[in-house]
């Protein structure tokens, strides 16, 4: 296992379509995070899982967004009825934590373009 | 409001020169401060992590400092190389599960 992987790396979709992204964390990591990064800005927190439980969601995560981590391993992020403002890089990170927070390792990201 | 501000927004230096990037934060409760390097189109990669009790931490040619009283941090890059060209992002962690608050980054370009 060489790190966090994300698929696809790039996605172009038309406004109104649904898209789904996948993140495969480092295998022993129990925490998984999703972030969104727009051009020229730092990433912004979207949501966080510990094992299969989604423990926090940012207010940035509107009703059109849903994330799952059904078996506590890979995670999916779905955006329904995409809007042009959804165009961004979606980053996934994972970490292993025992008794506190530890280093987050980021994937390469999925760049979404909504036309 | 939890906020991380970085300066300068962008910087151009010549290969071999040193540079220092700045970070100010207003975040509570503070857990730790990190500096990440992000190459274009890639995910961020951690350079250093410091808790409030650490004043300085080095990673090769990268040295980070932290003043928890003034809530300021800096990242010093020594003897810059072309491969140092990237965005450098200051990140403050809050809470027990390491929720990260990112700055907008400083875009560094190292020219030959």
């Amino acid at each position: 296992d060489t790190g966090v992987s994300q698929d696809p790396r790039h996605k172009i979709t038309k406004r109104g379509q649904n898209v789904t992204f996948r993140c495969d964390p480092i295998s022993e990591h129990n925490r998984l995070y999703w972030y969104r990064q727009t051009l020229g800005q730092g990433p912004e927190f979207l949501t966080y899982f510990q094992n299969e439980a989604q423990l926090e969601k940012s207010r940035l995560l509107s009703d059109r967004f849903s994330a799952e981590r059904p078996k506590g391993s890979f995670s999916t992020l779905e955006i329904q009825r995409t809007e042009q403002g959804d165009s961004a890089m979606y980053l996934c990170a994972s970490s292993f934590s025992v008794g506190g927070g530890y280093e987050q390792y980021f994937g390469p990201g999925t760049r979404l373009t909504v036309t | 409001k939890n906020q991380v501000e970085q300066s300068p927004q962008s910087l151009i230096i010549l290969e071999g020169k040193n540079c220092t990037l700045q970070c100010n934060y207003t975040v509570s409760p503070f857990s730790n401060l990190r500096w990440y390097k992000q190459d274009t189109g890639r995910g961020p990669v951690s350079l250093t992590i410091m808790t409030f009790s650490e004043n300085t931490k080095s990673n090769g040619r990268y040295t980070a400092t932290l003043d928890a009283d003034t809530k300021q941090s800096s990242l010093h890059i020594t003897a810059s190389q072309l491969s140092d060209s990237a965005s450098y992002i200051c990140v403050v962690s809050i809470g027990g599960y390491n929720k990260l608050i990112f700055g907008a980054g400083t875009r560094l370009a190292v020219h030959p």
Side-chain angles (χ1 to χ4, degrees):
Chain A
D1 192 331
T2 57
V4 179
S5 61
Q6 292 187 245
D7 183 70
R9 292 294 307 277
H10 300 91
K11 178 71 177 179
I12 299 174
T13 190
K14 292 184 178 180
R15 189 175 54 184
Q17 298 295 305
N18 299 343
V19 295
T20 300
F21 310 141
R22 177 179 170 123
C23 170
D24 286 90
I26 295 172
S27 58
E28 65 269 23
H29 285 186
N30 59 337
R31 290 182 173 172
L32 187 146
Y33 308 79
W34 284 100
Y35 297 88
R36 182 174 72 183
Q37 185 175 25
T38 54
L39 201 61
Q41 299 298 313
E44 295 175 288
F45 171 82
L46 291 179
T47 189
Y48 145 73
F49 290 85
Q50 177 145 323
N51 301 311
E52 66 276 6
Q54 187 174 19
L55 297 186
E56 182 168 339
K57 294 192 293 186
S58 163
R59 56 184 171 80
L60 294 175
L61 214 65
S62 74
D63 291 344
R64 297 184 297 104
F65 288 71
S66 63
E68 294 183 343
R69 193 184 184 198
K71 297 181 179 179
S73 57
F74 73 91
S75 175
T76 58
L77 177 67
E78 181 183 16
I79 309 174
Q80 296 181 329
R81 305 181 302 282
T82 53
E83 302 172 357
Q84 287 188 322
D86 296 332
S87 295
M89 174 80 87
Y90 289 85
L91 291 164
C92 175
S94 70
S95 69
F96 177 69
S97 61
V98 175
Y102 288 86
E103 182 62 70
Q104 291 187 25
Y105 295 86
F106 284 82
T110 294
R111 179 165 294 285
L112 172 66
T113 302
V114 181
T115 61
Chain B
K1 177 183 178 184
N2 292 320
Q3 208 162 0
V4 178
E5 296 181 344
Q6 293 187 242
S7 63
Q9 189 173 27
S10 62
L11 182 63
I12 299 173
I13 62 173
L14 294 177
E15 186 179 11
K17 297 296 185 183
N18 304 335
C19 66
T20 301
L21 315 179
Q22 302 293 341
C23 172
N24 299 316
Y25 62 92
T26 53
V27 168
S28 180
F30 176 88
S31 178
N32 55 65
L33 185 143
R34 310 152 186 237
W35 283 92
Y36 281 86
K37 178 185 179 186
Q38 186 174 26
D39 293 312
T40 301
R42 306 296 298 272
V45 175
S46 177
L47 296 175
T48 63
I49 300 178
M50 291 182 290
T51 63
F52 72 93
S53 61
E54 295 177 290
N55 294 341
T56 185
K57 184 162 282 189
S58 292
N59 178 3
R61 296 179 296 103
Y62 302 103
T63 300
T65 65
L66 174 63
D67 186 331
D69 292 332
T70 62
K71 299 186 177 181
Q72 295 180 326
S73 177
S74 67
L75 180 69
H76 185 74
I77 304 175
T78 303
S80 60
Q81 300 176 356
L82 298 178
S83 59
D84 292 333
S85 295
S87 285
Y88 290 85
I89 307 177
C90 177
V91 185
V92 181
S93 170
I94 61 174
Y97 61 84
N98 264 339
K99 180 176 178 178
L100 302 184
I101 309 297
F102 290 77
T106 291
R107 186 150 194 85
L108 174 67
V110 180
H111 289 182

